[in-house]
Amino acid sequence: MSPKIELLAPGGDVDAIKAAIIAGADAVYCGLDTFNARNRATNISFDELVRIIRLAHQYECQIFLTLNIIILEREFKTLAKLLSKLANTTLDGVIVQDLGMLYILKKHFPTLDIHASTQLTTHNIGQIPFLKKLGASRVNLSRELNLKEITEITAVSTELDLLTEVFVHGSLCIAFSGLCYSTSASVGNSGNRGRCSQACREEYKPTETGNKFPLNIKDNSAFFDLPALIDAGVHSFKIEGRIKGASYVHTVIDSFRKQIDGFVATGELLEDGERLYKVFNRDFSNAFLRGDLNQSMFIENPRDNSKYYALDKSNAISVVEIQDVEQKLSDEKEQIHASVFDKIKHLSIEKRVLSLVFSGEVGKPLTVTIKIKEAASTGVSEQATTEQTHVMHSERLLIASEKNCIDDSAIAKRFKSFNNAEFNLTQLSTDAIPQGVTIPFRELTALKNKIAALLNNDIPLLAAVELPKLVRHAKQDQAVKLSLLISDESDIKLGDITDADIYFKLPDAYKRGCTKYVSFFQQNPRLIPWFPSVLIGKDYDVAVNILQQVKPKLIVTNNTGIANRAFELGIDWIAGPFLNTTNSYALLAMKENFNCSGAFISNEINRQQMKTIARPENFKMLYSVYHPILLMVSRQCFFQQSVGCEKPRIDNGCMLSCDKSTSITNLKGVSFAIDKQKAGYPSIYNNDQFLNTEIIQDLAQLFDGFMIDLTNIGAGDKESPDKALLIAQFELLLNNSNIEQAGQLGRQANSLSNSSINAKNKLNSLVPESTNVQYHNGL
């Protein structure tokens, strides 16, 4: 059994955090009004955070701050200021998604403990050393994993001295976290920026199976699986719910606290979990944890299911019976609300009262008497007030002088900043200092620093960090090169008509012991292996085997576990577009730590956001100009609720052999393609293809290469454009762009311009349903 089982609670606002603390949470994660992935939560201010940390620590509860979004280049200056402030608090950890933020935290803010967010989609053992090398001390595992997979990853984490967290209760996304672009593609509301619009909870036109909410799944709950998770070595049991209120948080945390404590004391699960149905829920499922992905995971009600649960349990039939059940539940909810707020109303996060009284005389040191008063949070109606008194002296003695005398203004200038997030400076007195005395002003600064350390729990304050200016390195080759992504072996022949780099997309899943792709790549050395985002369990093992046996000169990977293994094997690698790279520091993180040779810049950011990125030395920057627009990837089946399936649950055969496609249509009449490739995860795509010819004209000087995706994945039953024609038109555009960059236009200018226009028009006709709205909207 784990020596310490952490119960980690959500805190969307001050009341919810108080409720979590009083209910017995070991730690609470919360967000500020910026840089966090729950914009819909109330969130807290920095001043409130400082005081919440103090309150929590009185109850031996830790506070973790969510900074779990991808970061844009222009934000790092502001981010560094925030991190500098956080480094001078007693914050217990920061939760991070962005690789660039991981980089600057490790390099410039080593005192801040780093937790890898679930947004990093951590699902295989290779990702653990990757995150360890970037400075993470703990990892929140993907919610789609089963117990066996969690156990294997946790074993590796333990060897590397990393802690693991698992979500044990709350809302579930149907998509892999970090790989959902459902609203980013249309209106820029990226889940990777904390602005998820919850397309999975939307109502759609009735599907063939009669479902109006085909993507809506039940809430997660491992309330009765805690012993198995403890045996798996999981350190932290995490509750989802930062947009939920105090009543919800207290009820869930109190229920889990009693269940954990009861099991630790007796070896038995003593709680029945009924209270969990009294607060918001969409009914519960532990199917991911059990590895039993079935139709029962879905629910047609995306809103609160507590009423329907109560009605089903009571067998109410008549109108009167139904009304009685609903009224009883309403009364219970009100009682829960009143009880929780009665418990937390005496928990104070008021500022501490600070008094600074200066005194002295000629020939003696300058003395400051510091008094700190605070109302101790006792949880009862009367708060006890505590007072501390400290006395400090200057090193040098006061001397008589008519110049640079110590007066009110000199003291206020240096000490008024103590009226801050944590302290209410009510007295700043110099009445006991005679006129006409002075002391070197550096002595005042030294006194200020000593007081600051005292008020900061005797920890010296750290200087603010200003990030060094990044060097923008030039491209090695001014010409921009085309690359192709294929997944069909018959498309290898396209190499006969182009000298473009050809990436071959490997599947998400493999048959056990599969050696097919080893010989395939050995026989086709021109092909560059392209590894997918999600590689779980045996699929990761087989992918690593391909890497080790083939030992290609170069790969592209969207999976950090494969990136780490490639680095260990000395194989050059390029970061794929689904590693969500949006800033220079992410490029540096991959280059300096894992010898990454290039990266695809995220298609979520716009032209201006791309222009600010600084290229590391000897590093390639790439971009996909034509591809299907992925909205979400799931481990769950999208066909069960759309067109139906004779299988009640997903098995290995489904993953390897199913290749269905269909579509769903929302109430606005917009359709989305559901696609399942053989050996691939179920995915949903936009109806439009991404086609961006503008970037070739705008930013060719920034990029080394542009890629076109010829896999046909996500096309459904739509006719695919002629691939040879697509290649020809893109090569024409790039050749013209390269001539322009080289400054060799001369009399060719008009001819080149007309040729480019014709190529763009031809591409638009080949791909009539296309968009590049992300290139304009950005994040």
Side-chain angles (χ1 to χ4, degrees):
M1 183 179 294
S2 171
K4 174 63 177 177
I5 305 163
E6 179 183 272
L7 180 56
L8 178 53
D13 60 24
V14 172
D15 286 339
I17 296 169
K18 288 180 178 179
I21 293 170
I22 207 72
D26 296 301
V28 178
Y29 64 102
C30 56
L32 300 174
D33 50 12
T34 185
F35 296 125
N36 93 87
R38 282 294 183 274
N39 276 9
R40 292 189 299 127
T42 303
N43 295 312
I44 59 175
S45 68
F46 180 84
D47 286 7
E48 288 172 326
L49 173 67
V50 171
R51 303 196 297 272
I52 282 167
I53 294 171
R54 188 178 81 247
L55 172 67
H57 288 178
Q58 290 173 7
Y59 285 81
E60 297 184 351
C61 177
Q62 294 184 305
I63 296 292
F64 306 145
L65 185 68
T66 56
L67 299 173
N68 54 341
I69 60 169
I70 54 176
I71 309 297
L72 301 174
E73 193 76 21
R74 59 178 169 78
E75 296 174 322
F76 274 91
K77 185 175 181 179
T78 302
L79 179 63
K81 289 180 179 178
L82 172 61
L83 294 175
S84 292
K85 291 167 65 178
L86 293 173
N88 283 311
T89 70
T90 53
L91 181 69
D92 300 291
V94 289
I95 304 171
V96 181
Q97 173 187 7
D98 188 85
L99 297 183
M101 192 188 297
L102 283 164
Y103 176 84
I104 68 165
L105 279 166
K106 182 183 178 184
K107 194 175 185 73
H108 300 289
F109 302 93
T111 61
L112 291 174
D113 195 43
I114 305 170
H115 302 178
S117 167
T118 192
Q119 289 288 116
L120 279 160
T121 328
T122 305
H123 53 266
N124 66 51
I125 59 174
Q127 293 171 295
I128 300 303
F130 181 93
L131 293 170
K132 171 75 173 180
K133 194 162 188 180
L134 287 175
S137 69
R138 68 161 72 189
V139 180
N140 185 204
L141 302 182
S142 291
R143 284 175 270 196
E144 295 77 15
L145 299 178
N146 62 42
L147 271 168
K148 182 175 182 294
E149 292 156 354
I150 290 170
T151 302
E152 291 173 351
I153 296 172
T154 296
V156 172
S157 299
T158 301
E159 290 176 6
L160 294 176
D161 198 27
L162 264 73
L163 303 174
T164 54
E165 296 175 355
V166 170
F167 274 105
V168 295
H169 193 85
S171 297
L172 270 178
C173 299
I174 195 169
F176 284 100
S177 297
L179 298 175
C180 182
Y181 309 95
S182 58
T183 48
S184 169
S186 55
V187 292
N189 286 344
S190 173
N192 285 318
R193 290 284 289 174
R195 297 194 297 267
C196 172
S197 297
Q198 293 195 311
C200 55
R201 308 293 182 197
E202 284 184 12
E203 183 177 353
Y204 292 78
K205 291 183 178 180
T207 65
E208 291 182 34
T209 56
N211 295 106
K212 295 182 180 180
F213 297 92
L215 307 180
N216 186 55
I217 57 177
K218 295 177 181 178
D219 288 350
N220 168 43
S221 189
F223 195 67
F224 301 105
D225 301 291
L226 299 181
L229 287 169
I230 293 170
D231 287 343
V234 174
H235 169 76
S236 182
F237 295 167
K238 189 170 188 176
I239 309 296
E240 184 277 339
R242 281 197 289 133
I243 61 172
K244 308 289 201 320
S247 299
Y248 173 92
V249 171
H250 187 278
T251 301
V252 174
I253 295 302
D254 187 59
S255 298
F256 270 82
R257 179 80 278 156
K258 288 181 169 62
Q259 186 78 304
I260 292 170
D261 291 349
F263 177 74
V264 170
T266 68
E268 302 289 335
L269 295 177
L270 305 178
E271 298 291 311
D272 59 13
E274 282 298 304
R275 286 195 299 155
L276 300 173
Y277 289 95
K278 303 293 185 184
V279 292
F280 183 96
N281 69 86
R282 297 183 185 92
D283 203 358
F284 298 118
S285 172
N286 65 347
F288 276 134
L289 196 62
R290 287 186 289 108
D292 181 16
L293 310 186
N294 57 67
Q295 295 183 27
S296 71
M297 289 183 71
F298 291 91
I299 185 170
E300 275 292 278
N301 177 25
R303 289 166 282 278
D304 189 5
N305 193 64
S306 57
K307 177 179 74 173
Y308 303 105
Y309 178 83
L311 290 171
D312 288 344
K313 190 176 181 185
S314 67
N315 295 316
I317 300 174
S318 70
V319 173
V320 173
E321 289 174 333
I322 291 172
Q323 288 177 342
D324 286 346
V325 170
E326 291 179 347
Q327 185 60 53
K328 181 182 178 183
L329 178 63
S330 177
D331 292 342
E332 288 176 334
K333 284 177 177 283
E334 183 58 37
Q335 185 178 0
I336 291 171
H337 181 83
S339 174
V340 169
F341 277 84
D342 186 60
K343 290 176 181 177
I344 69 173
K345 67 183 180 182
H346 305 297
L347 297 184
S348 173
I349 63 163
E350 294 299 314
K351 291 184 179 185
R352 289 187 276 181
V353 176
L354 178 64
S355 167
L356 301 178
V357 177
F358 292 83
S359 61
E361 56 186 82
V362 174
K364 291 188 177 180
L366 177 65
T367 298
V368 57
T369 302
I370 307 142
K371 290 186 178 180
I372 306 167
K373 293 182 182 180
E374 68 176 304
S377 295
T378 61
V380 295
S381 58
E382 293 185 6
Q383 293 180 339
T385 299
T386 62
E387 180 175 316
Q388 303 173 40
T389 300
H390 306 270
V391 178
M392 291 184 177
H393 307 281
S394 63
E395 294 291 332
R396 301 281 292 273
L397 304 180
L398 290 167
I399 60 174
S401 175
E402 297 300 321
K403 296 181 179 180
N404 298 324
C405 296
I406 295 178
D407 56 16
D408 288 348
S409 62
I411 294 296
K413 180 180 179 181
R414 289 161 179 80
F415 293 89
K416 65 181 180 181
S417 60
F418 286 118
N419 191 55
N420 55 28
E422 190 167 1
F423 292 96
N424 183 13
L425 183 58
T426 58
Q427 185 180 23
L428 186 59
S429 174
T430 59
D431 293 346
I433 301 176
Q435 292 184 348
V437 297
T438 190
I439 197 172
F441 283 162
R442 65 176 178 272
E443 286 289 311
L444 294 181
T445 301
L447 263 180
K448 178 184 176 181
N449 291 340
K450 287 165 67 175
I451 295 170
L454 169 72
L455 300 181
N456 196 43
N457 299 301
D458 293 323
I459 302 171
L461 291 180
L462 300 173
V465 171
E466 185 171 337
L467 298 177
K469 187 175 181 179
L470 293 169
V471 179
R472 304 178 71 89
H473 292 275
K475 293 195 299 185
Q476 289 182 299
D477 184 354
Q478 288 305 306
V480 182
K481 191 171 182 180
L482 183 70
S483 58
L484 320 176
L485 176 63
I486 63 173
S487 61
D488 191 325
E489 293 178 28
S490 65
D491 284 335
I492 296 175
K493 66 180 184 296
L494 293 172
D496 297 337
I497 62 171
T498 178
D499 63 353
D501 288 336
I502 302 178
Y503 308 124
F504 189 90
K505 185 181 185 301
L506 285 158
D508 302 318
Y510 309 84
K511 291 178 182 177
R512 185 173 296 181
C514 175
T515 58
K516 168 186 174 182
Y517 291 104
V518 172
S519 57
F520 173 71
F521 282 114
Q522 289 172 340
Q523 293 164 12
N524 297 278
R526 181 179 175 183
L527 299 182
I528 300 168
W530 175 288
F531 289 88
S533 301
V534 180
L535 289 165
I536 299 175
K538 293 293 182 183
D539 297 328
Y540 171 74
D541 295 339
V542 173
V544 167
N545 183 59
I546 293 169
L547 199 63
Q548 294 174 159
Q549 295 298 314
V550 177
K551 293 183 179 175
K553 292 182 180 179
L554 176 68
I555 67 166
V556 176
T557 179
N558 294 278
N559 186 278
T560 55
I562 293 295
N564 182 69
R565 192 70 189 110
F567 166 67
E568 292 173 343
L569 292 169
I571 296 171
D572 280 351
W573 66 280
I574 291 172
F578 298 113
L579 287 184
N580 300 326
T581 304
T582 60
N583 59 72
S584 309
Y585 294 99
L587 305 183
L588 287 171
M590 294 185 289
K591 178 174 174 55
E592 292 183 10
N593 290 281
F594 305 98
N595 200 31
C596 180
S597 59
F600 280 84
I601 302 304
S602 170
N603 282 94
E604 287 198 276
I605 61 177
N606 64 28
R607 175 182 181 272
Q608 190 58 38
Q609 291 163 347
M610 290 179 207
K611 286 177 68 175
T612 60
I613 296 175
R615 175 198 310 275
E617 188 175 11
N618 300 323
F619 194 88
K620 291 185 177 180
M621 290 172 57
L622 309 165
Y623 183 81
S624 175
V625 292
Y626 171 67
H627 57 260
I629 300 174
L630 177 68
L631 300 181
M632 60 178 74
V633 183
S634 180
R635 204 174 189 183
Q636 177 54 278
C637 177
F638 290 132
F639 300 106
Q640 292 174 341
Q641 300 292 98
S642 55
V643 294
C645 182
E646 68 277 5
K647 287 188 174 182
R649 55 184 39 84
I650 296 175
D651 58 27
N652 288 334
C654 298
M655 190 66 180
L656 294 170
S657 61
C658 177
D659 59 353
K660 291 181 182 178
S661 64
T662 186
S663 64
I664 54 174
T665 304
N666 67 17
L667 297 184
K668 296 178 181 178
V670 180
S671 294
F672 305 96
I674 296 177
D675 186 278
K676 169 70 175 67
Q677 299 288 306
K678 287 184 178 180
Y681 284 104
S683 303
I684 299 181
Y685 292 86
N686 218 29
N687 188 50
D688 296 328
Q689 298 287 95
F690 184 84
L691 176 62
N692 185 7
T693 57
E694 292 179 50
I695 194 171
I696 298 173
Q697 179 66 37
D698 295 342
L699 299 178
Q701 74 282 1
L702 182 65
F703 289 97
D704 297 88
F706 293 122
M707 187 194 79
I708 60 175
D709 184 333
L710 303 178
T711 61
N712 295 337
I713 295 173
D717 56 2
K718 289 189 293 187
E719 185 177 349
S720 296
D722 184 288
K723 295 177 183 180
L725 276 176
L726 281 173
I727 293 169
Q729 299 309 312
F730 275 110
E731 285 190 329
L732 182 58
L733 277 177
L734 288 184
N735 287 338
N736 290 349
S737 175
N738 287 333
I739 292 172
E740 290 175 4
Q741 283 193 83
Q744 300 171 355
L745 288 175
R747 296 176 182 178
Q748 303 178 69
N750 290 335
S751 176
L752 281 174
S753 177
N754 291 332
S755 175
S756 295
I757 291 171
N758 290 336
K760 290 177 184 177
N761 290 338
K762 184 65 175 177
L763 286 169
N764 287 329
S765 66
L766 287 169
V767 191
E769 294 179 293
S770 66
T771 181
N772 66 351
V773 67
Q774 286 176 293
Y775 181 64
H776 296 283
N777 285 348
L779 296 177

